[in-house]
Amino acid sequence: MSSAYLTIEQIGMTFVRGAERSEVLTGISLKIERGSFVALIGHSGCGKSTLLNIVAGLMRPTAGAIILDGKEVSAPGPDRAVVFQNHSLLPWLTVYENVRLGVDKVFGRGRKSRAERHAWTLHNLDLVQMIAAKDKRPAEISGGMRQRVGIARALAMEPKLLLMDEPFGALDALTRAHLQDQVMEIQQRLRNTVVMITHDVDEAVLLADRIVMMTNGPAAAIGQVLDIELPRPRDRLALAEDKTYAHYRGEVLRFLYERQRRPIETAA
């Protein structure tokens, strides 16, 4: 058995519709250590979201297995929380109630008292600086604030693994930068294990310990894994002129814009 916290073991995924077969993923293997931040990057259609959904237990792979903390993943569970690009908040509930709903689901039935669940809900809202808006409904706050609530709800479940599918993709540049900084700070404080999908090269280099680059579909595979050896905490302004940062950024761009233009056979 692997000593890795999360093992993605020879994952393959084929969708069948009538006589048509579409192979989306093939031979995906990866080991992720506890407390690390991994970014998945690749062109649209390379199966990144499919892989994330398999890790979340929302899909069953055609081949292979997902092992989290020594146990095989076969269904969704509170040990994995997902933050989607769409915040997925319930519009009729307040900010507080949206987070409290997840807290009650995981910590109800005697695991935490009502007072403890209340305090834990406020604690996680405070992590993302949303205490002041706790009584507002999603329609009354900005898109960036709604995304912060989605992150707070995920963190409040104390998941073993936090999965993020382009969580900042729909936000303006300033809001995205602010949330990126918050996620970095929270991840370093809590030492969550995070797997995040992104299309943003700078975001991947800034946030991640490792960047996993996917080949183009169909039958997408892992083309390259890049370790990001930049000290933490990371300052985006200081890194803008950092030669090591520029090197990592160039490596990812080279993979995406040069290597991926070649035929799949020569990219292996």
Side-chain angles (χ1 to χ4, degrees), residues 214-227:
M214 304 281 291
T215 65
N216 283 346
I222 293 175
Q224 184 178 337
V225 178
L226 183 65
D227 291 327

Side-chain angles (χ1 to χ4, degrees), residues 76-127:
D79 57 351
R80 284 148 286 136
V82 186
V83 178
F84 297 102
Q85 184 170 336
N86 181 352
H87 53 80
S88 302
L89 301 180
L90 298 176
W92 58 88
L93 298 182
T94 65
V95 163
Y96 173 89
E97 290 166 342
N98 266 283
V99 178
R100 179 63 183 264
L101 187 68
V103 171
D104 287 343
K105 181 72 173 178
V106 175
F107 298 109
R109 298 182 180 178
R111 289 193 61 192
K112 286 183 186 289
S113 68
R114 288 180 63 87
E116 287 172 328
R117 280 178 275 151
H118 171 70
W120 183 241
T121 300
L122 293 180
H123 168 76
N124 282 278
L125 285 172
D126 186 49
L127 282 178

Side-chain angles (χ1 to χ4, degrees), residues 63-252:
I66 304 292
I67 310 297
L68 177 61
D69 199 15
K71 297 180 181 179
E72 184 171 357
V73 170
S74 59
D79 57 351
R80 284 148 286 136
V82 186
V83 178
F84 297 102
Q85 184 170 336
N86 181 352
H87 53 80
S88 302
L89 301 180
L90 298 176
W92 58 88
L93 298 182
T94 65
V95 163
Y96 173 89
E97 290 166 342
N98 266 283
V99 178
R100 179 63 183 264
L101 187 68
V103 171
D104 287 343
K105 181 72 173 178
V106 175
F107 298 109
R109 298 182 180 178
R111 289 193 61 192
K112 286 183 186 289
S113 68
R114 288 180 63 87
E116 287 172 328
R117 280 178 275 151
H118 171 70
W120 183 241
T121 300
L122 293 180
H123 168 76
N124 282 278
L125 285 172
D126 186 49
L127 282 178
V128 297
Q129 300 177 17
M130 285 298 295
I131 288 286
K134 67 182 179 65
D135 296 322
K136 295 183 181 295
R137 287 181 169 77
E140 301 174 304
I141 58 178
S142 69
M145 294 171 80
R146 288 193 290 267
Q147 200 66 347
R148 276 192 266 168
V149 178
I151 293 170
R153 182 176 58 187
L155 293 173
M157 295 168 65
E158 285 196 323
K160 293 180 179 178
L161 183 63
L162 180 60
L163 303 168
M164 309 178 81
D165 192 348
E166 291 193 76
F168 317 122
L171 305 176
D172 65 86
L174 289 176
T175 303
R176 183 165 61 245
H178 177 65
L179 278 184
Q180 287 168 349
D181 290 341
Q182 281 196 310
V183 165
M184 274 197 295
E185 179 186 341
I186 291 168
Q187 195 266 342
Q188 284 301 292
R189 191 190 317 169
L190 303 182
R191 297 304 299 168
N192 305 82
T193 306
V194 181
V195 178
M196 182 188 72
I197 291 174
T198 182
H199 281 106
D200 187 322
V201 174
D202 289 297
E203 178 173 88
V205 178
L206 176 68
L207 298 181
D209 300 308
R210 297 166 73 201
I211 300 176
V212 177
M213 292 170 261
M214 304 281 291
T215 65
N216 283 346
I222 293 175
Q224 184 178 337
V225 178
L226 183 65
D227 291 327
I228 306 298
E229 297 179 355
L230 292 170
R232 293 186 185 273
R234 294 176 184 170
D235 183 324
R236 71 177 61 245
L237 295 179
L239 289 175
E241 299 181 1
D242 186 279
K243 291 182 179 179
T244 305
Y245 176 90
H247 166 73
Y248 290 138
R249 187 176 185 275
E251 284 292 303
V252 179

